[in-house]
Amino acid sequence: MDNAFVRELIDAGIHFGHRVGRWNPKMKPYVLCSRNSIHIIDVKETIKGLLRSKKFLTQVVSSGKDVLFVGTKRQARNAIMEESRRCGMPYVAERWLGGTLTNFRTIRSRLQRLEELEAMDANGQLAQQSKKMQSTLRRELGKVKRNLDGIRKMDRMPGALVIIDARREHNAIREARKLNIPTVCLLDTDCDPDLVSLPIPGNDDAMRAIELVIKQLADSVLEGKVTRSETAHAASSEPRTRSRRISIARAVDVMTEEAGSAGDKVADNPIPATSANTPRTDTPSN
């Protein structure tokens, strides 16, 4: 990673942690020192975590899986929405609904309700209702769309989660751990790094720092999508080879033909009579 990007991270305040009294002792390996009662995060550890996360996300996307971006705090909301749409991945930027992963079937039913309300609004059926019913349905439409619009195209479980602020998004981390889904998280000094798979220590409150980190992760997702498309194109262009395995019926026919040919050989070349099979013709002695 070039020095210009590292300088941008430092200028964005990626190395500023929380006050000393609010820190989590498990973040000690990622803390460089403290200045004016504020912990300073080691930028080398931030770069290491970012590089590992980028490599991991590229592998996940190239294998055919999707990545879910999660960031509901005000500082991360716009960056999550923009970069997720740029790389074509689902996102949660407003509110994490309980059971988004563990109760995905119910969430899908709510998405069907969203499509139903949008169809009613487009066809004019919503305008034909009473004013009170219109107000109720439009309020429901706005609420469901605000919470689920980012995952409306997510029809399967994601291969990984990218999370901003593990302390705030503890419900998402808990559901991902329950389903054994790896998580990549930007952690501040008040978070627990043991709860996530790939921690990226850094300031999760600075808007510019969040934008830089999310942009790098989205670029790695795009690289994985290019590899995925190339692999799919190569697989489709290869000629199909016929299987060399003999079917069961063919194997039975071959065995029958071999047994028949062996019987014909025995009939053509009978076994000569041995002394044991030859009847005795000796005359009895007086």
Side-chain angles (χ1 to χ4, degrees):
M1 192 166 290
D2 55 355
N3 296 329
F5 177 73
V6 177
R7 174 56 59 184
E8 288 183 5
L9 286 176
I10 295 176
D11 293 340
I14 193 69
H15 57 291
F16 290 120
H18 285 287
R19 299 187 66 85
V20 174
R22 293 182 55 188
W23 83 312
N24 190 320
K26 293 182 180 180
M27 289 293 293
K28 184 177 181 180
Y30 308 111
V31 174
L32 181 63
C33 60
S34 61
R35 298 282 180 85
N36 298 326
S37 300
I38 295 177
H39 277 131
I40 304 299
I41 300 173
D42 192 354
V43 181
K44 293 182 180 179
E45 297 294 333
T46 304
I47 299 300
K48 290 180 181 178
L50 185 58
L51 292 177
R52 286 195 297 263
S53 301
K54 291 182 62 177
K55 183 177 180 180
F56 171 73
L57 292 179
T58 302
Q59 294 176 353
V60 169
V61 177
S62 62
S63 64
K65 300 178 181 179
D66 295 333
V67 176
L68 176 61
F69 288 80
V70 181
T72 60
K73 63 194 311 180
R74 179 180 53 83
Q75 297 91 328
R77 189 171 299 159
N78 293 332
I80 288 290
M81 295 174 62
E82 293 177 2
E83 296 301 329
S84 300
R85 292 170 180 171
R86 183 172 68 91
C87 63
M89 289 295 166
Y91 64 90
V92 176
E94 288 292 336
R95 177 171 173 256
W96 179 270
L97 299 179
T100 300
L101 298 179
T102 56
N103 196 12
F104 188 64
R105 182 178 301 178
T106 303
I107 298 299
R108 292 299 304 175
S109 66
R110 296 301 298 167
L111 288 173
Q112 294 177 0
R113 177 60 176 171
L114 173 61
E115 295 176 356
E116 178 183 351
L117 292 174
E118 288 179 345
M120 291 177 60
D121 191 14
N123 297 333
Q125 297 179 3
L126 194 61
Q128 297 176 0
Q129 304 293 330
S130 62
K131 292 185 177 180
K132 182 178 181 181
M133 183 60 65
Q134 285 187 37
S135 177
T136 303
L137 293 178
R138 291 188 184 280
R139 185 164 53 249
E140 181 184 0
L141 174 60
K143 182 178 180 181
V144 177
K145 187 174 182 179
R146 182 173 59 252
N147 293 330
L148 301 179
D149 189 49
I151 61 173
R152 63 188 312 168
K153 295 182 180 180
M154 188 178 71
D155 54 355
R156 57 180 177 175
M157 286 288 104
L161 266 69
V162 174
I163 300 175
I164 303 298
D165 193 352
R167 187 180 180 89
R168 181 184 179 92
E169 312 298 341
H170 59 277
N171 289 329
I173 294 177
R174 186 180 296 112
E175 293 188 20
R177 286 170 59 88
K178 187 174 182 179
L179 298 177
N180 295 324
I181 299 176
T183 54
V184 176
C185 187
L186 179 63
L187 300 174
D188 213 325
T189 55
D190 61 340
C191 300
D192 187 357
D194 294 342
L195 298 178
V196 300
S197 304
L198 289 174
I200 304 176
N203 188 354
D204 59 6
D205 294 319
M207 186 179 299
R208 180 57 181 164
I210 295 174
E211 291 176 356
L212 291 174
V213 172
I214 293 298
K215 185 177 183 301
Q216 290 291 320
L217 298 179
D219 291 340
S220 64
V221 170
L222 291 175
E223 293 177 5
K225 293 182 72 173
V226 172
T227 307
R228 180 200 298 182
S229 60
E230 291 178 353
T231 304
H233 179 71
S236 61
S237 61
E238 290 181 357
R240 296 183 60 184
T241 57
R242 298 184 62 182
S243 176
R244 297 182 179 179
R245 294 180 299 177
I246 303 177
S247 61
I248 297 176
R250 178 58 182 164
V252 172
D253 294 341
V254 171
M255 294 175 62
T256 305
E257 292 176 0
E258 292 179 354
S261 61
D264 295 340
K265 291 181 180 180
V266 172
D268 295 340
N269 299 319
I271 300 175
T274 59
S275 58
N277 296 328
T278 304
R280 295 183 63 181
T281 57
D282 298 342
T283 56
S285 61
N286 295 329

